[in-house]
Amino acid sequence: MTSQVSSPAEQADGPVVGEQRKAGGAKGVRRLDRVIIRFAGDSGDGMQLTGDRFTSETASFGNDLSTLPNFPAEIRAPAGTLPGVSSFQLHFADHDILTPGDAPNVLVAMNPAALKANIGDLPRGAEVIVNTDEFTKRAMQKVGYGTSPLEDGSLDGYHLHPVPLTTLTVEALKEFDLSRKEAERSKNMFALGLLSWMYHRPTEGTERFLKSKFAKKPDIAAANIAAFRAGWNFGETTEDFAVSYEVAPAATAFPPGVYRNISGNLALSYGLVAASRQADLPLYLGSYPITPASDILHELSKHKNFGVRTFQAEDEIAGIGAALGAAFGGSLAVTTTSGPGVALKSETIGLAVSLELPLLVVDIQRGGPSTGLPTKTEQADLLQAMYGRNGEAPVPIVAPRTPADCFDAALEAARIALTYRTPVFLLSDGYLANGSEPWRIPDLDELPDLRVQFAQGPNHTLEDGSEVFWPYKRDPQTLARPWAIPGTPGLEHRIGGIEKEDGTGNISYSPANHDFMVRTRQAKIDGIDVPDLVVDDPHEARTLVLGWGSTYGPITAAVRRLRRAGESVAQAHLRHLNPFPKNLGSVLGRYDKVVIPEMNLGQLATLIRAKYLVDAQSYNQVNGMPFKAEQLAAALKEAIDG
């Protein structure tokens, strides 16, 4: 059997090693530099769990990896239908990679719907493993197959492996006291065992996981382990799989350190806990569950031992109201949501701007408008974060670029909020939140010191010589006001959303004072210290590709392809979107063309054009999925040549 080890699009990212060897009657082993696998089935088939387990073992093996979970918004979408298909794509390699891959080399399809929904993404020559038990006449008709694709020649361009997964699983579990329906539920573990054999993945971790997950149901744990082992043994013994594959650890891709696989939401949660410890402040999360941000609430609720308090509120407004109250009381306060929740929180964010209190607003963006696409990704909340409040209410914006970078972005957002006494937006998205990659666990001495000094006593002397506390007397460097904890003797002060008098904080309707306070709040944000923008331009290019957030991986992969093809192109990626880095204007001025790829209709491009009068070219996508590197490379090549 021959194997198409990677699509032409992926081959551009590095060579493929095709070394096959046999010892006696043993099966051959082929070494590859990368593989892209997609598991697909009904949303009840356990594809996300299967992909997650394969990913965990791949991470422990030492490969670099990137994942793309993709599932419907319904809790249980209609079985056997195209809208009900759930998939999990994993790209792993022996070198540094940046994306989940453009096209799978291997598709595991648990039913006709999974095959039809995904076959169009496969390159010719890819491996297709199908569960033949599910290819009944009714199931095929449900998705529009008039004849069986397993028999009509439509899959001749692929390496098809028909496997009766359900039958084999039930047979493997016949010694267990399970009904057929209960036994069939373990077919995803059979598939996982087969793929683990094919790609030499470790098995001990998955068996430990199953024992732990079903600790209260040892019979179910044993059945799943038996199905997993049966899948492994099937790969070892069947004649249909004559070759297995090795992808060596990515030994040179990572700096030395201790690594673990981590998703964006988990990294962000850990970053928030780390920020609270570095600030020596209790962490308070006021949140209302919303996809795709709910995992942060789930995770932080586990960490009471680190002084974390989580409050699941009755709605979005109550969640941020409680968080702002916690900030007033001296906590590192956070509220998590997605775009629809930001709309509800906007009035309280404006109140936080007026009160000038530190507050982290974590927006895990998703497709909109309104309910939109809850489980799909988008970058369309940038202008909402920038301007979505009444009055002049500027808020800093920070955006992570990879799942692991969510940890550092959380620390940076906390630094800005605490130093400048302001709410801060952290804009992640569903692609980062649910995707995963290796993360180097930092040493404690690498983390920033975020400790703050609360107001302790009077800070202003009146003309008559008496000393008083002025809640809006500002630090001359940061323009931040004092943070006074309620109950501190002598620090009583007026609080509320009505305009404050400069210094005293008393209510003021003075036109001149309002003008001064509006400009001062804006100046505070404009003066935030953020690093200069770093530009990757080894060949003095004429075209700059500027991105932000989760487009980093696809943009970087596309730029690498273009450079290998002899094109000269520069790349820069923004973490700070408000304020922009101070050198951004001079950077933009060095290039004849600026191209901005975004998963929206051009929101960053709008800001860049307005502020810097640069004729930035937009390249936009709003289909709920991340960019593909090949697609971006073609668009950038056209921009360079245009």
Side-chain angles (χ1 to χ4, degrees):
M1 179 188 70
T2 60
S3 171
Q4 189 76 18
V5 291
S6 65
S7 71
E10 290 300 324
Q11 286 178 358
D13 284 338
V16 173
V17 182
E19 174 187 323
Q20 187 171 337
R21 59 184 188 276
K22 291 196 176 188
K27 293 189 176 185
V29 178
R30 178 165 297 167
R31 295 191 61 188
L32 309 177
D33 74 333
R34 71 173 66 244
V35 175
I36 305 168
I37 298 174
R38 184 181 295 176
F39 299 92
D42 268 334
S43 56
D45 282 341
M47 294 296 93
Q48 302 305 316
L49 174 63
T50 304
D52 184 66
R53 287 314 313 160
F54 196 95
T55 299
S56 295
E57 298 299 347
T58 296
S60 68
F61 187 72
N63 296 122
D64 195 11
L65 61 90
S66 180
T67 69
L68 178 61
N70 186 16
F71 43 88
E74 293 82 2
I75 294 174
R76 186 63 176 94
T81 65
L82 293 174
V85 173
S86 172
S87 68
F88 188 105
Q89 184 163 307
L90 165 67
H91 182 191
F92 61 101
D94 65 3
H95 58 278
D96 173 37
I97 58 174
L98 297 156
T99 74
D102 286 358
N105 313 124
V106 182
L107 172 65
V108 180
M110 303 298 281
N111 60 18
L115 178 66
K116 186 159 191 177
N118 292 282
I119 193 67
D121 293 337
L122 269 65
R124 310 300 281 181
E127 309 270 355
V128 181
I129 301 171
V130 296
N131 178 15
T132 56
D133 289 325
E134 296 296 321
F135 279 72
T136 64
K137 183 177 181 179
R138 181 182 178 186
M140 289 187 289
Q141 288 177 343
K142 188 181 289 189
V143 296
Y145 280 129
T147 59
S148 172
L150 309 184
E151 301 171 354
D152 63 7
S154 60
L155 300 178
D156 287 350
Y158 307 97
H159 293 292
L160 179 65
H161 301 281
V163 180
L165 285 172
T166 306
T167 300
L168 291 171
T169 302
V170 172
E171 178 67 21
L173 302 184
K174 62 183 179 180
E175 64 185 78
F176 294 88
D177 186 21
L178 300 173
S179 67
R180 179 178 178 86
K181 185 175 182 179
E182 289 173 329
E184 288 179 359
R185 290 175 182 162
S186 296
K187 63 181 180 289
N188 63 324
M189 288 297 106
F190 189 100
L192 177 60
L194 173 58
L195 269 294
S196 297
W197 173 83
M198 284 182 65
Y199 291 97
H200 295 224
R201 297 299 91 184
T203 60
E204 297 81 3
T206 293
E207 294 194 9
R208 284 196 304 271
F209 168 81
L210 291 171
K211 290 177 183 177
S212 173
K213 180 176 178 63
F214 299 106
K216 296 181 180 179
K217 299 179 180 179
D219 291 345
I220 299 297
N224 277 282
I225 292 171
F228 176 68
R229 291 175 177 174
W232 176 282
N233 293 332
F234 178 78
E236 183 70 31
T237 57
T238 183
E239 293 299 319
D240 195 34
F241 295 94
V243 178
S244 63
Y245 304 93
E246 285 184 351
V247 180
T252 61
F254 308 117
V258 178
Y259 286 79
R260 60 156 294 167
N261 183 50
I262 201 164
S263 68
N265 273 351
L266 184 56
L268 204 156
S269 300
Y270 287 175
L272 293 173
V273 174
S276 76
R277 303 297 284 183
Q278 292 302 106
D280 196 22
L281 296 174
L283 180 65
Y284 184 93
L285 174 66
S287 180
Y288 179 75
I290 183 172
T291 301
S294 300
D295 287 342
I296 301 172
L297 172 61
H298 301 160
E299 181 61 33
L300 289 181
S301 68
K302 303 174 184 177
H303 297 293
K304 297 181 179 67
N305 56 314
F306 288 119
V308 179
R309 296 180 182 177
T310 52
F311 170 52
Q312 181 174 322
E314 65 269 28
D315 56 40
E316 296 281 5
I317 299 171
I320 189 173
L324 185 56
F328 180 54
S331 292
L332 176 59
V334 185
T335 189
T336 52
T337 190
S338 192
V342 173
L344 293 167
K345 295 178 188 292
S346 62
E347 182 180 7
T348 308
I349 297 171
L351 176 60
V353 171
S354 176
L355 300 183
E356 300 190 45
L357 287 170
L359 174 68
L360 302 187
V361 181
V362 178
D363 177 5
I364 313 297
Q365 300 166 95
R366 70 190 205 188
S370 189
T371 305
L373 305 173
T375 60
K376 310 302 180 184
T377 196
E378 206 163 274
Q379 287 182 298
D381 295 351
L382 176 56
L383 294 182
Q384 181 185 31
M386 184 74 77
Y387 298 122
R389 292 161 297 284
N390 64 294
E392 295 287 344
V395 175
I397 303 171
V398 175
R401 62 186 188 179
T402 69
D405 188 48
C406 290
F407 178 87
D408 295 318
L411 285 163
E412 174 64 359
R415 177 192 72 87
I416 294 172
L418 294 170
T419 302
Y420 296 90
R421 310 285 198 267
T422 177
V424 177
F425 263 103
L426 199 163
L427 291 184
S428 179
D429 61 45
Y431 171 38
L432 296 184
N434 297 317
S436 62
E437 66 176 351
W439 170 58
R440 187 181 70 84
I441 301 173
D443 294 329
L444 288 179
D445 58 8
E446 298 176 40
L447 301 180
D449 184 352
L450 301 179
R451 288 174 293 181
V452 297
Q453 183 66 49
F454 292 119
Q456 300 297 323
N459 62 356
H460 184 76
T461 303
L462 299 176
E463 292 182 1
D464 63 4
S466 59
E467 294 185 339
V468 296
F469 174 68
W470 274 15
Y472 282 82
K473 186 170 184 176
R474 302 179 182 280
D475 181 290
Q477 298 298 319
T478 64
L479 298 182
R481 77 174 187 90
W483 194 358
I485 302 301
T488 306
L491 302 190
E492 298 85 355
H493 59 282
R494 187 182 297 273
I495 204 75
I498 298 178
E499 183 62 283
K500 317 293 185 299
E501 183 180 59
D502 177 42
T504 69
N506 296 330
I507 292 175
S508 174
Y509 292 97
S510 163
N513 178 79
H514 177 59
D515 182 275
F516 178 80
M517 292 295 282
V518 167
R519 295 180 186 277
T520 300
R521 286 188 290 260
Q522 183 65 57
K524 182 175 71 169
I525 304 307
D526 292 342
I528 291 174
D529 182 24
V530 303
D532 279 349
L533 181 65
V534 176
V535 183
D536 175 21
D537 184 6
H539 305 115
E540 297 186 358
R542 306 288 296 275
T543 299
L544 171 70
V545 187
L546 182 67
W548 69 279
S550 66
T551 57
Y552 173 77
I555 288 174
T556 306
V559 167
R560 287 181 180 180
R561 294 179 186 214
L562 290 172
R563 288 176 179 172
R564 277 194 296 271
E567 299 291 341
S568 181
V569 59
Q571 178 190 1
H573 209 77
L574 289 167
R575 162 169 288 188
H576 298 90
L577 296 150
N578 192 31
F580 286 129
K582 290 181 173 56
N583 69 330
L584 177 56
S586 61
V587 166
L588 296 171
R590 298 204 300 262
Y591 296 93
D592 296 339
K593 297 177 183 177
V594 177
V595 183
I596 304 179
E598 297 181 79
M599 293 188 295
N600 57 48
L601 294 183
Q603 297 189 16
L604 175 61
T606 296
L607 295 174
I608 293 295
R609 292 184 188 121
K611 184 172 179 64
Y612 299 103
L613 304 181
V614 170
D615 186 21
Q617 301 178 34
S618 282
Y619 183 72
N620 309 116
Q621 172 177 296
V622 282
N623 62 7
M625 298 294 287
F627 283 112
K628 293 182 177 180
E630 181 181 25
Q631 159 198 3
L632 263 184
L636 296 177
K637 178 69 166 63
E638 184 177 340
I640 293 170
D641 295 341

